[in-house]
Amino acid sequence: SNMIASTFERKIIIKKLKDSELRLSLALSSAKEGIWDWNIKTNELTVNDVWSEMLGYDAGSFIPDVSSWKNRVHPEDLPKALANLEKHLNGESDIYEAIYRARKNDGGWIWILDHGMVVERDSENKPLRAIGTNIDITKQKETELELEELVQTKNKIFSIIAHDLRGPIGSFMPILDILTGDIKIEESEKKYFLEELKVSAKSTFDLLDNLLNWSRSQT
């Protein structure tokens, strides 16, 4: 009876584990997250179908390993990704996280948010196994780069505007000093200075008006 009871208990536990794994798999698949499972001792890397499809491979047609992963990461991004990974393997960080460009099967590039953690260590605290996920953040990264470009353009525009406003407004001061000071000037000279002020004021007003219209169009 004890053997039968133990058998039933094992079956119940196994069923719960399978149900839990199924729910986790469905949740990650619907979230479009690729899963990787790395046997650090053998360098064997197991991935799910989403992970393969993310890089343009048919499900189950690509068997990856750590070396092939390194070859897919963009050379400019690889050093930082490896440094973050090494830091986590050495126990210096709670999780591993890196953002990098990965080469797809067709030669194109996508941005990946890669994060995971060591789930098993030996008696000497050396890492044996790590599990993590990959998320395609290409659209977010492209939007981020576009925003950075827009900010740079905005800063450049306002730098030009500040320069163009400083010129005419700066020229007002000496003319006004002459007109309101103790220096006696001829009517013809006064008329000339007033015309110069009028031209500068009109130019400044047009610049501000254009700036206001541009600001409204951006909004």
Side-chain angles (χ1 to χ4, degrees), residues 43-106:
N43 260 346
E44 182 183 0
L45 191 65
T46 306
V47 299
N48 67 345
D49 292 344
V50 175
W51 191 97
S52 300
E53 292 164 358
M54 192 182 297
L55 292 172
Y57 293 93
D58 293 333
S61 67
F62 179 62
I63 301 176
D65 54 36
V66 176
S67 297
S68 64
W69 169 76
K70 291 180 181 178
N71 292 331
R72 282 191 307 276
V73 178
H74 196 285
E76 294 177 3
D77 305 329
L78 182 59
K80 187 174 182 180
L82 289 176
N84 290 353
L85 179 60
E86 190 68 24
K87 188 176 180 181
H88 176 61
L89 294 178
N90 292 335
E92 299 173 28
S93 61
D94 293 333
I95 62 168
Y96 154 70
E97 182 171 295
I99 295 175
Y100 53 79
R101 287 160 288 181
R103 188 176 64 252
K104 297 178 64 178
N105 188 30
D106 60 6

Side-chain angles (χ1 to χ4, degrees), residues 171-172 174-180 183-201:
S171 67
F172 290 173
I175 296 176
L176 288 171
D177 287 341
I178 293 172
L179 293 175
T180 59
I183 302 173
K184 292 182 179 181
I185 58 174
E186 300 290 334
E187 281 297 321
S188 59
E189 291 178 328
K190 185 181 291 186
K191 185 178 180 181
Y192 170 77
F193 285 133
L194 288 172
E195 285 294 328
E196 287 295 312
L197 280 176
K198 184 179 178 180
V199 170
S200 293

Side-chain angles (χ1 to χ4, degrees), residues 1-205:
S1 63
N2 288 337
M3 290 176 62
I4 293 172
S6 298
T7 302
F8 277 119
E9 285 176 5
R10 282 199 299 272
K11 285 186 177 180
I12 291 171
I13 292 171
I14 290 171
K15 185 178 185 303
K16 285 182 177 180
L17 285 172
K18 287 183 177 179
D19 290 344
S20 179
E21 288 178 358
L22 179 59
R23 283 194 296 270
L24 177 61
S25 178
L26 289 172
L28 291 172
S29 295
S30 62
K32 301 297 181 184
E33 292 195 18
I35 307 171
W36 53 263
D37 187 340
W38 177 26
N39 185 324
I40 300 172
K41 193 172 182 179
T42 64
N43 260 346
E44 182 183 0
L45 191 65
T46 306
V47 299
N48 67 345
D49 292 344
V50 175
W51 191 97
S52 300
E53 292 164 358
M54 192 182 297
L55 292 172
Y57 293 93
D58 293 333
S61 67
F62 179 62
I63 301 176
D65 54 36
V66 176
S67 297
S68 64
W69 169 76
K70 291 180 181 178
N71 292 331
R72 282 191 307 276
V73 178
H74 196 285
E76 294 177 3
D77 305 329
L78 182 59
K80 187 174 182 180
L82 289 176
N84 290 353
L85 179 60
E86 190 68 24
K87 188 176 180 181
H88 176 61
L89 294 178
N90 292 335
E92 299 173 28
S93 61
D94 293 333
I95 62 168
Y96 154 70
E97 182 171 295
I99 295 175
Y100 53 79
R101 287 160 288 181
R103 188 176 64 252
K104 297 178 64 178
N105 188 30
D106 60 6
W109 297 91
I110 60 171
W111 283 94
I112 293 289
L113 169 60
D114 186 8
H115 50 191
M117 66 184 301
V118 173
V119 295
E120 187 179 348
R121 292 180 181 270
D122 62 15
S123 58
E124 298 178 354
N125 204 36
K126 291 181 180 179
L128 297 176
R129 183 185 179 194
I131 296 177
T133 61
N134 282 5
I135 304 174
D136 184 350
I137 58 167
T138 304
K139 290 183 179 179
Q140 295 93 316
K141 197 66 180 178
E142 288 174 350
T143 302
E144 179 186 324
L145 294 174
E146 287 175 7
L147 286 173
E148 288 178 2
E149 187 176 344
L150 286 172
V151 169
Q152 291 176 2
T153 302
K154 181 209 68 174
N155 291 339
K156 192 177 293 183
I157 288 173
F158 277 106
S159 176
I160 294 169
I161 290 169
H163 178 270
D164 289 349
L165 282 175
R166 186 181 179 86
I169 292 176
S171 67
F172 290 173
M173 305 306 296
I175 296 176
L176 288 171
D177 287 341
I178 293 172
L179 293 175
T180 59
D182 297 331
I183 302 173
K184 292 182 179 181
I185 58 174
E186 300 290 334
E187 281 297 321
S188 59
E189 291 178 328
K190 185 181 291 186
K191 185 178 180 181
Y192 170 77
F193 285 133
L194 288 172
E195 285 294 328
E196 287 295 312
L197 280 176
K198 184 179 178 180
V199 170
S200 293
K202 177 67 167 58
S203 174
T204 306
F205 177 81

